Amino acid sequence: ETGVTQSPTHLIKTRGQQVTLRCSSQSGHNTVSWYQQALGQGPQFIFQYYREEENGRGNFPPRFSGLQFPNYSSELNVNALELDDSALYLCASSPGLAAPYEQYFGPGTRLTVT
Amino acid sequence: ELKVEQNPLFLSMQEGKNYTIYCNYSTTSDRLYWYRQDPGKSLESLFVLLSNGAVKQEGRLMASLDTKARLSTLHITAAVHDLSATYFCAVDPDNNDMRFGAGTRLTVKP
């Protein structure tokens, strides 16, 4: 069974650019959530996708957008990058919206905006 | 707005000692999670607590949930150096908006 994978591992971008981060869910999982973790802080929920539809969104501006594909892999897109977007971006997959509700986290993408 | 508060935020322990990390949250939730994060790494799931009074144990860690008090505890027994990490609690009452605490950075010293 393959776990959650993310790409790329590290990324450096310039302020104002756009970035796409990718996540492959664990086999059999149809739900994916994305989180932003700034240095020294807890993860902040960005949004969740369930069967290709957005199922919940945290307090992030519209320049943070996402997609989930039929194979349940997912993308996080961030437009007009700001310095404060520098963080570790984590995706987590789960087998659905029912119990036991456990999420499995990927290794993360470290984004640096200069 | 849902808030999740952990204390302490920093904890330095001697090996062999016991200690408890506390997690308070501000809204009704019968579901609480504990995660471990090593420096530069992702989150590792430790416990999922799904009901009032739930207690789970794994090795030297034991977690409990009191939904009426909106409180969860993570108890460390006879700490060892390998437990040094940051521990997060999180709640997700609606199953689509997981909120994390700020984390407790644990250092276990010989």
Side-chain angles (χ1 to χ4, degrees), chain B residues 57-71:
Chain B
Q57 183 165 4
E58 181 72 35
R60 301 174 186 276
L61 300 178
M62 183 173 71
S64 65
L65 178 62
D66 182 343
T67 59
K68 294 179 182 178
R70 300 178 183 174
L71 170 69

Side-chain angles (χ1 to χ4, degrees), chain A:
Chain A
E1 183 176 276
T2 305
V4 180
T5 61
Q6 292 185 242
S7 62
T9 306
H10 296 86
L11 200 54
I12 300 174
K13 288 286 190 178
T14 303
R15 190 171 54 182
Q17 287 187 315
Q18 178 266 343
V19 69
T20 298
L21 310 182
R22 295 179 173 82
C23 173
S24 291
S25 300
Q26 187 164 318
S27 176
H29 289 189
N30 58 18
T31 305
V32 65
S33 300
W34 284 90
Y35 299 85
Q36 179 195 68
Q37 187 178 22
L39 199 60
Q41 298 183 21
Q44 302 291 316
F45 174 74
I46 303 175
F47 43 59
Q48 180 188 79
Y49 279 82
Y50 171 65
R51 293 185 174 179
E52 303 179 58
E53 297 287 332
E54 187 177 288
N55 186 54
R57 188 178 181 92
N59 189 25
F60 280 80
R63 59 189 186 86
F64 285 78
S65 62
L67 279 175
Q68 188 180 31
F69 299 99
N71 66 355
Y72 301 131
S73 65
S74 177
E75 285 183 353
L76 164 65
N77 298 289
V78 187
N79 293 323
L81 283 167
E82 301 177 0
L83 296 179
D84 285 349
D85 295 334
S86 295
L88 179 68
Y89 288 84
L90 297 164
C91 77
S93 73
S94 56
L97 301 181
Y101 311 111
E102 191 156 5
Q103 295 191 21
Y104 298 84
F105 282 82
T109 294
R110 172 88 46 198
L111 172 65
T112 302
V113 183
T114 62

Side-chain angles (χ1 to χ4, degrees), chain A residues 35 37 40-43 45 48 55-57 88 90 96-98 100-103 105-107 110, chain B residues 31 33 35 37 40-43 45-46 48 50 88 92 95-103 105:
Chain A
Y35 299 85
Q37 187 178 22
Q41 298 183 21
F45 174 74
Q48 180 188 79
N55 186 54
R57 188 178 181 92
L88 179 68
L90 297 164
L97 301 181
Y101 311 111
E102 191 156 5
Q103 295 191 21
F105 282 82
R110 172 88 46 198
Chain B
R31 191 182 316 159
Y33 305 79
Y35 292 93
Q37 187 175 40
K41 303 292 186 180
S42 187
L43 298 174
S45 178
L46 295 175
V48 181
L50 296 177
F88 292 97
D92 188 5
N95 204 26
N96 63 359
D97 183 7
M98 184 174 281
R99 301 293 182 98
F100 284 80
R105 186 172 298 177

